[in-house]
Amino acid sequence: MKFSRHTERHRTDRIGWLRAAVLGANDGIVSTASLVVGVAAAQSSQGSILVAGVAGLVAGAMSMAAGEYVSVHSQADTEKADLERERAELALDPAAEQRELTAIYVARGLTPGLAQQVAVALTAHDALAAHARDELGISEALSARPVQAALASAASFAVGAVLPLAVTALAPAQGLIVWVSASSLVFLALLGVVAARVGGAGVLASAWRVTFWGALAMAITAGVGALFGAVV
């Protein structure tokens, strides 16, 4: 009997880059807008505000890339170490590892006889892949990709940071804080909507979440700038 694979659209394969991209863009908008608002609240000139914003863009993009790479690489190292340990255990005692798989499938609801058949079949097909997926929770879709995550974070941060900077350059000096704050909240809401659409999540909850925290960050930074009258 010939079997054909039933294809469905799933979004789990987007988790790695989507998380990094959304985090980067959100951080780019929030941190740059907060920086601009804080400096503006300290009664700085528009030129000084732009310089501070551009410096924040460059520093933030590099920081996001480095932090994401180190973080995700640590995850990749852990996954690699776990796979090496599992490979050694399979070579040392394959029967015990097969019994372990059987127990996992029994715990998930299969009868002992069927669980054993599944464990035998999957072990014969690719024992390490079966243990990686079902014992360790490591899959191709969710595996760590440090370089991809770093690039996605840096690029998305830069794109996010450019938005409030463009408003800063174009808005009148008198209403700069209002313009940057309001437009940044709109950008954050749109980001939440896009992220929800791509990830298949609820649109309103996603938009509200990023907008609320962005507004809080800008309010606090503006308060600090106004209080101390210094670049923050």
Side-chain angles (χ1 to χ4, degrees), residues 42-63:
Q43 305 301 318
S44 300
S45 67
Q46 195 161 359
S48 298
I49 296 170
L50 274 173
V51 170
V54 171
L57 184 157
V58 175
M62 294 300 98
S63 176

Side-chain angles (χ1 to χ4, degrees), residues 48-130:
S48 298
I49 296 170
L50 274 173
V51 170
V54 171
L57 184 157
V58 175
M62 294 300 98
S63 176
M64 286 292 292
E68 195 73 23
Y69 181 83
V70 171
S71 174
V72 179
H73 209 295
S74 297
Q75 178 187 340
D77 290 341
T78 301
E79 290 178 357
K80 182 179 179 181
D82 282 343
L83 288 174
E84 288 300 323
R85 187 180 302 110
E86 198 63 36
R87 184 179 285 108
E89 291 174 355
L90 283 166
L92 182 65
D93 194 348
E97 292 301 302
Q98 186 174 298
R99 289 195 298 272
E100 188 175 28
L101 268 187
T102 301
I104 290 172
Y105 299 142
V106 168
R108 291 181 181 178
L110 298 184
T111 62
L114 181 56
Q116 184 176 15
Q117 291 179 35
V118 173
V120 169
L122 291 180
T123 298
H125 177 67
D126 191 336
L128 183 61

Side-chain angles (χ1 to χ4, degrees), residues 25-224:
N26 181 82
D27 199 21
I29 296 172
V30 172
S31 62
T32 306
S34 298
L35 179 64
V36 166
V37 169
V39 175
Q43 305 301 318
S44 300
S45 67
Q46 195 161 359
S48 298
I49 296 170
L50 274 173
V51 170
V54 171
L57 184 157
V58 175
M62 294 300 98
S63 176
M64 286 292 292
E68 195 73 23
Y69 181 83
V70 171
S71 174
V72 179
H73 209 295
S74 297
Q75 178 187 340
D77 290 341
T78 301
E79 290 178 357
K80 182 179 179 181
D82 282 343
L83 288 174
E84 288 300 323
R85 187 180 302 110
E86 198 63 36
R87 184 179 285 108
E89 291 174 355
L90 283 166
L92 182 65
D93 194 348
E97 292 301 302
Q98 186 174 298
R99 289 195 298 272
E100 188 175 28
L101 268 187
T102 301
I104 290 172
Y105 299 142
V106 168
R108 291 181 181 178
L110 298 184
T111 62
L114 181 56
Q116 184 176 15
Q117 291 179 35
V118 173
V120 169
L122 291 180
T123 298
H125 177 67
D126 191 336
L128 183 61
H131 281 272
R133 180 182 59 253
D134 296 323
E135 181 184 350
L136 304 177
I138 300 173
S139 67
E140 182 64 26
L142 303 179
S143 61
R145 297 179 176 87
V147 175
Q148 183 189 61
L151 292 176
S153 291
S156 57
F157 181 97
V159 170
V162 163
L163 298 175
L165 281 180
V167 175
T168 302
L170 298 174
Q174 279 302 106
L176 186 62
I177 292 178
V178 174
W179 276 96
V180 171
S181 299
S183 61
S184 295
L185 291 178
V186 173
F187 296 146
L188 287 170
L190 291 175
L191 174 64
V193 170
V194 171
R197 290 292 188 185
V198 175
V203 171
L204 290 179
S206 179
W208 162 251
R209 188 165 51 240
V210 296
T211 304
F212 170 78
W213 289 107
L216 182 62
M218 284 185 282
I220 293 174
T221 312
V224 172

